[in-house]
Amino acid sequence: PCGPDLLRRASGRIQVPILGIGGVTDKNIAAVIGSGASGCAVVSAITESEDPFQASRNLVDATLSAWSQLGLGCRHDKSGS
């Protein structure tokens, strides 16, 4: 695991989006995004949940909240441009 420190260093040096992957949950996704990740790839937090739909919803909510707190807004441009 590289953790938030590597994300922070890498995001300051490259111009492409970085995704956090591995061990990401709704409890730590804000820290991952706050360290410079544009978003996260999540599997276990959903597939190992008793309620995958609610786990997904919690992850989306936590992601949107993190983006909002950082003043990033929604990263998905629905205009197609």
Side-chain angles (χ1 to χ4, degrees):
C2 297
D5 189 49
L6 179 61
L7 280 172
R8 197 172 294 107
R9 287 184 286 144
S11 69
R13 294 182 180 167
I14 61 175
Q15 300 299 314
V16 297
I18 298 173
L19 293 179
I21 185 169
V24 179
T25 69
D26 63 323
K27 305 293 187 251
N28 66 9
I29 201 166
V32 175
I33 291 170
S35 295
S38 297
C40 296
V42 179
V43 176
S44 297
I46 296 170
T47 61
E48 294 177 4
S49 173
E50 289 185 22
D51 185 346
F53 179 83
Q54 188 59 51
S56 299
R57 184 75 252 156
N58 292 346
L59 285 157
V60 168
D61 291 346
T63 299
L64 293 175
S65 176
W67 287 340
S68 176
Q69 289 176 11
L70 293 169
L72 301 175
C74 184
R75 294 281 182 120
H76 299 286
D77 180 10
K78 296 179 181 157
S79 69
S81 56

XYZ file of all heavy atoms in Angstrom:
571
model
N 0.826 -1.203 0.000
C 0.000 0.000 0.000
C 0.864 1.258 0.000
O 1.809 1.355 0.753
C -0.819 -0.093 1.269
C -0.615 -1.454 1.828
C 0.580 -2.032 1.152
N 0.501 2.166 -0.858
C 1.275 3.405 -0.957
C 0.691 4.505 -0.100
O 1.408 5.324 0.422
C 1.331 3.851 -2.411
S 2.174 2.653 -3.444
N -0.608 4.555 0.005
C -1.259 5.504 0.885
C -1.355 6.923 0.370
O -0.899 7.249 -0.731
N -1.945 7.764 1.195
C -2.212 9.152 0.820
C -0.962 9.965 0.523
O -0.987 10.872 -0.299
C -2.948 9.719 2.028
C -3.496 8.533 2.737
C -2.545 7.410 2.477
N 0.154 9.645 1.171
C 1.366 10.428 0.945
C 1.833 10.333 -0.508
O 2.168 11.339 -1.132
C 2.478 9.992 1.894
C 3.674 10.920 1.830
O 3.472 12.151 1.913
O 4.806 10.415 1.677
N 1.832 9.130 -1.060
C 2.230 8.964 -2.461
C 1.234 9.654 -3.397
O 1.632 10.296 -4.369
C 2.362 7.494 -2.839
C 2.758 7.233 -4.295
C 4.118 7.839 -4.616
C 2.761 5.748 -4.581
N -0.049 9.540 -3.102
C -1.057 10.234 -3.914
C -0.790 11.733 -3.923
O -0.856 12.381 -4.964
C -2.459 9.978 -3.363
C -3.121 8.668 -3.714
C -4.412 8.506 -2.927
C -3.405 8.594 -5.198
N -0.505 12.280 -2.762
C -0.250 13.716 -2.631
C 0.966 14.120 -3.473
O 0.924 15.104 -4.215
C -0.018 14.056 -1.156
C -0.131 15.508 -0.819
C -0.083 15.757 0.697
N -1.240 15.198 1.382
C -1.216 14.100 2.151
N -0.101 13.443 2.359
N -2.312 13.659 2.736
N 2.038 13.353 -3.386
C 3.247 13.675 -4.147
C 3.017 13.514 -5.652
O 3.424 14.370 -6.439
C 4.410 12.804 -3.691
C 4.934 13.219 -2.319
C 6.149 12.426 -1.904
N 5.686 11.079 -1.537
C 6.360 9.968 -1.766
N 7.523 10.002 -2.362
N 5.870 8.804 -1.395
N 2.363 12.431 -6.050
C 2.144 12.169 -7.478
C 1.204 13.190 -8.098
O 1.440 13.665 -9.214
C 1.602 10.758 -7.676
N 0.143 13.540 -7.396
C -0.848 14.458 -7.979
C -0.267 15.839 -8.224
O -0.738 16.559 -9.096
C -2.089 14.544 -7.097
O -1.797 15.197 -5.876
N 0.762 16.198 -7.491
C 1.401 17.484 -7.702
C 2.395 17.484 -8.856
O 2.871 18.536 -9.257
N 2.682 16.310 -9.401
C 3.710 16.206 -10.433
C 3.182 15.803 -11.807
O 3.914 15.915 -12.790
C 4.761 15.192 -10.006
C 5.528 15.653 -8.802
C 6.581 14.665 -8.424
N 7.285 15.161 -7.258
C 8.094 14.459 -6.533
N 8.326 13.206 -6.848
N 8.691 14.974 -5.490
N 1.981 15.291 -11.882
C 1.450 14.843 -13.166
C 0.132 15.531 -13.460
O -0.527 16.024 -12.552
C 1.288 13.305 -13.215
C 0.310 12.831 -12.151
C 2.633 12.618 -13.045
C 0.012 11.351 -12.226
N -0.242 15.540 -14.721
C -1.439 16.266 -15.139
C -2.601 15.350 -15.540
O -3.547 15.812 -16.151
C -1.093 17.188 -16.314
C -0.035 18.206 -15.974
C -0.463 19.128 -14.850
O -1.576 19.634 -14.839
N 0.415 19.342 -13.892
N -2.511 14.071 -15.234
C -3.591 13.145 -15.555
C -4.319 12.763 -14.271
O -3.740 12.823 -13.183
C -3.075 11.874 -16.279
C -2.464 12.243 -17.617
C -2.090 11.122 -15.413
N -5.581 12.386 -14.375
C -6.314 11.983 -13.176
C -5.694 10.742 -12.523
O -5.195 9.851 -13.200
C -7.712 11.648 -13.712
C -7.813 12.358 -15.013
C -6.420 12.378 -15.567
N -5.730 10.715 -11.217
C -5.242 9.579 -10.428
C -6.418 9.005 -9.669
O -7.223 9.743 -9.103
C -4.176 10.031 -9.419
C -2.968 10.613 -10.133
C -3.762 8.877 -8.515
C -1.948 11.224 -9.196
N -6.521 7.680 -9.653
C -7.564 7.018 -8.876
C -6.953 6.289 -7.693
O -5.925 5.629 -7.831
C -8.319 6.002 -9.734
C -9.164 6.561 -10.856
C -9.830 5.433 -11.620
C -10.209 7.529 -10.327
N -7.606 6.415 -6.552
C -7.221 5.628 -5.392
C -7.834 4.245 -5.544
O -8.980 4.110 -5.963
N -7.090 3.215 -5.230
C -7.602 1.851 -5.353
C -6.994 0.998 -4.243
O -5.825 1.142 -3.915
C -7.310 1.258 -6.750
C -7.944 -0.111 -6.904
C -5.828 1.229 -7.041
C -7.925 -0.648 -8.312
N -7.803 0.149 -3.677
C -7.331 -0.766 -2.640
C -7.684 -0.294 -1.247
O -7.136 0.677 -0.751
N -8.631 -0.958 -0.627
C -8.994 -0.644 0.751
C -9.825 0.610 0.926
O -9.973 1.113 2.030
N -10.375 1.116 -0.159
C -11.165 2.349 -0.080
C -12.571 2.026 0.412
O -13.220 1.112 -0.070
C -11.227 3.049 -1.451
C -12.071 4.310 -1.373
C -9.827 3.369 -1.953
N -13.019 2.791 1.389
C -14.371 2.651 1.949
C -15.015 4.034 2.035
O -14.343 5.052 1.814
C -14.330 2.049 3.370
O -13.749 3.018 4.267
C -13.538 0.752 3.419
N -16.285 4.057 2.392
C -16.947 5.348 2.565
C -16.365 6.112 3.758
O -16.523 7.313 3.860
C -18.464 5.186 2.699
C -18.891 4.390 3.912
O -18.193 3.420 4.270
O -19.936 4.714 4.501
N -15.654 5.421 4.632
C -15.052 6.062 5.811
C -13.719 6.744 5.484
O -13.318 7.657 6.194
C -14.819 5.039 6.919
C -16.056 4.262 7.333
C -17.079 5.149 8.001
C -18.225 4.333 8.552
N -19.459 4.505 7.795
N -13.019 6.289 4.434
C -11.715 6.886 4.133
C -11.625 7.526 2.748
O -10.587 8.064 2.389
C -10.591 5.860 4.313
C -10.633 4.718 3.324
O -11.401 4.706 2.363
N -9.799 3.720 3.563
N -12.711 7.494 1.993
C -12.656 8.019 0.633
C -12.365 9.525 0.606
O -11.673 10.000 -0.274
C -13.935 7.662 -0.158
C -13.668 7.750 -1.655
C -15.115 8.495 0.266
C -14.743 7.106 -2.508
N -12.835 10.267 1.600
C -12.551 11.705 1.652
C -11.053 11.957 1.819
O -10.504 12.870 1.197
C -13.337 12.370 2.777
N -10.383 11.147 2.615
C -8.936 11.300 2.807
C -8.191 10.974 1.519
O -7.204 11.631 1.176
C -8.453 10.412 3.942
N -8.661 9.966 0.793
C -8.022 9.587 -0.475
C -8.175 10.727 -1.484
O -7.201 11.150 -2.117
C -8.617 8.268 -1.015
C -8.057 7.935 -2.383
C -8.370 7.121 -0.035
N -9.375 11.250 -1.618
C -9.619 12.354 -2.547
C -8.886 13.611 -2.079
O -8.301 14.329 -2.879
C -11.130 12.592 -2.718
C -11.737 11.404 -3.472
C -11.404 13.903 -3.448
C -13.244 11.389 -3.517
N -8.879 13.838 -0.791
C -8.167 14.986 -0.245
C -6.669 14.926 -0.460
O -5.984 15.945 -0.432
N -6.156 13.737 -0.711
C -4.725 13.563 -0.969
C -4.370 13.739 -2.428
O -3.209 13.627 -2.805
C -4.279 12.175 -0.506
O -4.416 12.077 0.891
N -5.373 13.964 -3.277
C -5.091 14.245 -4.678
C -5.716 13.310 -5.688
O -5.596 13.530 -6.881
N -6.388 12.265 -5.232
C -7.058 11.370 -6.178
C -8.281 12.070 -6.768
O -8.984 12.782 -6.064
C -7.475 10.077 -5.488
N -8.511 11.852 -8.052
C -9.710 12.401 -8.691
C -10.944 11.615 -8.284
O -12.050 12.134 -8.282
C -9.575 12.333 -10.212
O -8.499 13.128 -10.632
N -10.740 10.364 -7.966
C -11.817 9.465 -7.558
C -11.198 8.173 -7.081
O -9.995 8.096 -6.854
N -12.026 7.161 -6.945
C -11.548 5.884 -6.422
C -12.209 4.722 -7.146
O -13.341 4.830 -7.596
C -11.868 5.774 -4.938
S -11.024 7.007 -3.945
N -11.479 3.632 -7.229
C -12.018 2.374 -7.741
C -12.304 1.509 -6.522
O -11.426 1.312 -5.681
C -11.012 1.699 -8.658
N -13.523 1.019 -6.427
C -13.940 0.302 -5.225
C -14.585 -1.024 -5.613
O -15.418 -1.068 -6.519
C -14.961 1.139 -4.424
C -15.419 0.412 -3.186
C -14.374 2.496 -4.071
N -14.194 -2.088 -4.949
C -14.801 -3.396 -5.178
C -15.272 -3.983 -3.848
O -16.458 -4.162 -3.609
C -13.838 -4.375 -5.895
C -14.470 -5.750 -6.019
C -13.462 -3.847 -7.263
N -14.340 -4.279 -2.965
C -14.653 -4.991 -1.721
C -15.676 -4.277 -0.842
O -16.515 -4.921 -0.226
C -13.380 -5.236 -0.908
O -12.505 -6.066 -1.626
N -15.595 -2.956 -0.792
C -16.535 -2.216 0.053
C -17.979 -2.435 -0.395
O -18.910 -2.313 0.397
C -16.208 -0.730 0.038
N -18.154 -2.798 -1.655
C -19.494 -3.063 -2.183
C -19.810 -4.552 -2.141
O -20.834 -4.964 -1.603
C -19.634 -2.521 -3.618
C -19.496 -1.002 -3.620
C -20.969 -2.953 -4.238
C -19.371 -0.381 -4.985
N -18.917 -5.358 -2.682
C -19.208 -6.794 -2.810
C -19.240 -7.524 -1.476
O -19.894 -8.556 -1.359
C -18.197 -7.492 -3.741
O -16.878 -7.370 -3.196
C -18.245 -6.905 -5.132
N -18.540 -7.011 -0.480
C -18.521 -7.662 0.828
C -19.560 -7.087 1.793
O -19.650 -7.510 2.934
C -17.122 -7.576 1.436
C -16.107 -8.376 0.637
C -14.691 -8.260 1.177
O -14.496 -7.621 2.229
O -13.783 -8.815 0.536
N -20.343 -6.153 1.304
C -21.370 -5.527 2.130
C -22.634 -6.380 2.172
O -22.969 -7.061 1.206
C -21.711 -4.153 1.547
O -22.813 -3.588 2.215
N -23.338 -6.320 3.297
C -24.626 -7.013 3.392
C -25.673 -6.342 2.506
O -26.637 -6.983 2.093
C -25.101 -7.037 4.844
C -24.280 -7.959 5.718
C -24.840 -8.073 7.127
O -26.040 -7.799 7.318
O -24.067 -8.439 8.011
N -25.475 -5.062 2.227
C -26.400 -4.307 1.381
C -25.587 -3.534 0.336
O -25.234 -2.373 0.545
C -27.225 -3.349 2.237
C -28.306 -2.616 1.457
O -28.273 -2.639 0.204
O -29.184 -2.013 2.105
N -25.254 -4.191 -0.789
C -24.414 -3.548 -1.809
C -24.981 -2.233 -2.343
O -24.227 -1.308 -2.613
C -24.326 -4.599 -2.918
C -24.567 -5.891 -2.224
C -25.559 -5.572 -1.136
N -26.301 -2.161 -2.483
C -26.896 -0.918 -2.965
C -26.604 0.214 -1.997
O -26.169 1.303 -2.401
C -28.406 -1.060 -3.170
C -29.039 0.224 -3.642
C -29.014 0.570 -4.981
C -29.632 1.096 -2.741
C -29.574 1.770 -5.416
C -30.191 2.290 -3.169
C -30.158 2.631 -4.505
N -26.829 -0.011 -0.699
C -26.592 1.040 0.294
C -25.101 1.370 0.392
O -24.727 2.533 0.535
C -27.124 0.638 1.667
C -27.076 1.766 2.683
C -27.866 2.983 2.244
O -29.042 2.880 1.858
N -27.250 4.155 2.276
N -24.250 0.358 0.285
C -22.806 0.601 0.308
C -22.409 1.492 -0.870
O -21.604 2.426 -0.709
C -22.049 -0.717 0.263
N -22.975 1.230 -2.038
C -22.705 2.053 -3.220
C -23.181 3.480 -3.003
O -22.483 4.447 -3.316
C -23.387 1.464 -4.454
O -22.915 0.178 -4.716
N -24.373 3.607 -2.475
C -24.948 4.936 -2.203
C -24.061 5.707 -1.218
O -23.795 6.896 -1.406
C -26.363 4.763 -1.634
C -27.120 6.023 -1.383
C -27.628 6.638 -2.672
N -26.825 7.833 -2.930
C -26.637 8.386 -4.117
N -27.186 7.890 -5.180
N -25.902 9.447 -4.279
N -23.592 5.026 -0.166
C -22.729 5.669 0.821
C -21.422 6.145 0.196
O -20.924 7.223 0.523
C -22.428 4.717 1.981
C -23.651 4.415 2.821
O -24.675 5.081 2.739
N -23.559 3.375 3.624
N -20.864 5.336 -0.709
C -19.626 5.715 -1.388
C -19.842 6.928 -2.296
O -19.013 7.843 -2.326
C -19.077 4.539 -2.190
C -18.415 3.454 -1.344
C -18.406 2.127 -2.093
C -17.007 3.874 -0.959
N -20.944 6.932 -3.029
C -21.251 8.081 -3.891
C -21.430 9.336 -3.042
O -20.863 10.393 -3.341
C -22.509 7.811 -4.751
C -22.996 9.084 -5.424
C -22.228 6.726 -5.771
N -22.197 9.222 -1.974
C -22.422 10.376 -1.097
C -21.119 10.892 -0.500
O -20.880 12.103 -0.449
C -23.402 10.022 0.019
C -24.826 9.804 -0.476
O -25.132 10.173 -1.633
O -25.631 9.242 0.302
N -20.264 9.980 -0.040
C -18.982 10.375 0.548
C -18.077 11.027 -0.495
O -17.364 11.997 -0.198
C -18.303 9.163 1.184
N -18.117 10.528 -1.724
C -17.317 11.106 -2.802
C -17.800 12.514 -3.130
O -17.002 13.456 -3.217
C -17.381 10.227 -4.064
O -16.862 8.937 -3.750
C -16.584 10.832 -5.209
N -19.091 12.668 -3.310
C -19.646 13.989 -3.624
C -19.369 14.987 -2.505
O -19.053 16.152 -2.759
C -21.149 13.879 -3.900
C -21.529 13.106 -5.159
C -23.047 12.959 -5.260
C -20.955 13.752 -6.403
N -19.457 14.524 -1.269
C -19.167 15.388 -0.126
C -17.706 15.819 -0.122
O -17.392 16.991 0.109
C -19.505 14.650 1.175
O -19.149 15.425 2.291
N -16.811 14.883 -0.392
C -15.380 15.210 -0.429
C -15.092 16.216 -1.537
O -14.363 17.189 -1.324
C -14.553 13.944 -0.623
N -15.644 15.992 -2.724
C -15.442 16.938 -3.826
C -15.970 18.316 -3.452
O -15.334 19.332 -3.715
C -16.124 16.453 -5.092
C -15.453 15.304 -5.769
C -14.158 14.885 -5.627
C -16.045 14.429 -6.718
N -13.926 13.794 -6.435
C -15.059 13.489 -7.116
C -17.308 14.335 -7.278
C -15.314 12.486 -8.047
C -17.553 13.333 -8.199
C -16.565 12.423 -8.581
N -17.138 18.351 -2.829
C -17.751 19.615 -2.442
C -16.887 20.343 -1.411
O -16.655 21.551 -1.526
C -19.149 19.365 -1.881
O -19.716 20.560 -1.415
N -16.407 19.624 -0.417
C -15.569 20.235 0.624
C -14.274 20.797 0.063
O -13.729 21.762 0.583
C -15.275 19.228 1.729
C -16.477 18.907 2.573
C -16.195 17.838 3.610
O -15.058 17.465 3.857
N -17.256 17.338 4.226
N -13.791 20.192 -1.008
C -12.560 20.658 -1.643
C -12.826 21.688 -2.739
O -11.907 22.162 -3.395
C -11.786 19.475 -2.236
C -11.223 18.504 -1.203
C -10.708 17.243 -1.878
C -10.120 19.174 -0.395
N -14.108 22.012 -2.950
C -14.471 22.982 -3.972
C -14.302 22.462 -5.386
O -14.104 23.227 -6.322
N -14.403 21.142 -5.547
C -14.185 20.545 -6.861
C -15.465 20.335 -7.644
O -15.424 20.153 -8.847
C -13.461 19.195 -6.709
C -12.116 19.270 -6.019
C -11.554 17.873 -5.821
C -11.152 20.127 -6.819
N -16.595 20.321 -7.000
C -17.843 20.042 -7.689
C -17.851 18.622 -8.212
O -16.997 17.814 -7.890
N -18.802 18.321 -9.047
C -18.910 16.972 -9.615
C -17.889 16.826 -10.722
O -17.778 17.676 -11.596
C -20.315 16.720 -10.148
S -20.536 15.052 -10.750
N -17.146 15.723 -10.727
C -16.103 15.509 -11.725
C -16.638 14.948 -13.032
O -15.900 14.774 -13.969
C -15.056 14.536 -11.182
C -14.277 15.054 -10.020
C -13.200 16.006 -10.517
N -12.413 16.468 -9.426
C -11.107 16.274 -9.313
N -10.453 15.612 -10.209
N -10.459 16.761 -8.299
N -17.907 14.617 -13.106
C -18.459 14.008 -14.309
C -19.200 15.057 -15.120
O -20.228 15.552 -14.718
C -19.403 12.850 -13.947
C -18.709 11.781 -13.201
N -17.834 10.914 -13.805
C -18.720 11.455 -11.896
C -17.358 10.081 -12.913
N -17.873 10.386 -11.747
N -18.670 15.374 -16.283
C -19.288 16.342 -17.162
C -20.344 15.640 -17.984
O -20.016 14.856 -18.857
C -18.219 16.976 -18.058
C -18.818 18.003 -19.015
O -19.991 18.363 -18.863
O -18.088 18.436 -19.923
N -21.613 15.912 -17.719
C -22.695 15.250 -18.417
C -23.070 15.942 -19.725
O -23.952 15.518 -20.432
C -23.902 15.141 -17.494
C -23.613 14.262 -16.308
C -24.777 14.155 -15.374
C -24.391 13.277 -14.213
N -25.143 13.468 -13.043
N -22.356 17.003 -20.056
C -22.694 17.743 -21.276
C -22.128 17.055 -22.520
O -22.518 17.384 -23.628
C -22.145 19.169 -21.197
O -20.730 19.156 -21.258
N -21.170 16.141 -22.323
C -20.582 15.453 -23.461
C -19.438 16.213 -24.104
O -18.840 15.776 -25.063
N -19.115 17.388 -23.585
C -18.019 18.172 -24.169
C -16.699 17.897 -23.469
O -16.609 17.314 -22.456
C -18.339 19.645 -24.094
O -18.608 20.041 -22.768
